[in-house]
Amino acid sequence: MLGLLGDLLGGLIGGLLGRRGADRIVKRRAELLAQDGQVDCGLRVLQGRHPRVPPGMWMHSTARLSPGLITMGRIVVRITELDPTAPRRPKGREIWSVSPQTAIVRVVASTGAVLEWAVPADQLPWALDQVHAAT
């Protein structure tokens, strides 16, 4: 009985310490990316078409941010409109594709496509500042 209790307690403590360590690693990676003007994020097309982004499917990668631009590998989104006042959280089945810790904002691209941009919620103000200058 004591062995089982010890195993349970050890597992709980180990899980908590592991989570804390993992959170630190994620935070440090985000800080390093931000120093280079980058963020881990997701994009998906809601309306219209945008080159290299399949309609309705989330695409995730590290993006370089600059005034008026989100560049995710070969995907370049030239922002013509961005509404930072109404970020939303993923809901329902969407959390299978997008982390619940993200905030999602709507972006209108120069192609006329309406996209959603998912950014870690704690990095959203910084990310918006990076792309905002030209919008």
Side-chain angles (χ1 to χ4, degrees):
M1 178 71 172
L2 209 50
L4 178 63
L5 185 59
D7 287 346
L8 284 171
L9 224 63
L12 181 63
I13 291 169
L16 290 173
L17 292 176
R19 167 96 194 245
R20 212 175 269 159
D23 288 347
R24 274 199 305 265
I25 290 169
V26 168
K27 184 176 180 181
R28 180 67 182 142
R29 174 177 162 71
E31 290 168 355
L32 290 171
L33 286 172
Q35 289 174 6
D36 195 31
Q38 297 182 73
V39 68
D40 286 328
C41 62
L43 284 171
R44 81 168 166 178
V45 172
L46 288 180
Q47 297 172 359
R49 297 179 63 88
H50 193 81
R52 299 185 176 89
V53 184
M57 291 180 55
W58 281 102
M59 309 238 347
H60 301 277
S61 189
T62 301
R64 179 166 303 282
L65 307 179
S66 55
L69 290 174
I70 301 168
T71 306
M72 186 184 288
R74 293 177 42 195
I75 299 169
V76 178
V77 177
R78 294 187 191 288
I79 302 167
T80 59
E81 251 180 81
L82 174 71
D83 183 8
T85 62
R88 69 173 186 86
R89 293 294 187 133
K91 56 188 178 282
R93 298 177 83 184
E94 192 173 39
I95 63 172
W96 290 98
S97 302
V98 181
S99 169
Q101 279 84 35
T102 61
I104 301 170
V105 293
R106 290 173 69 104
V107 174
V108 178
S110 61
T111 60
V114 177
L115 297 98
E116 285 190 314
W117 182 33
V119 178
D122 61 338
Q123 294 178 284
L124 183 63
W126 172 84
L128 290 170
D129 284 345
Q130 301 307 299
V131 299
H132 185 66
T135 60

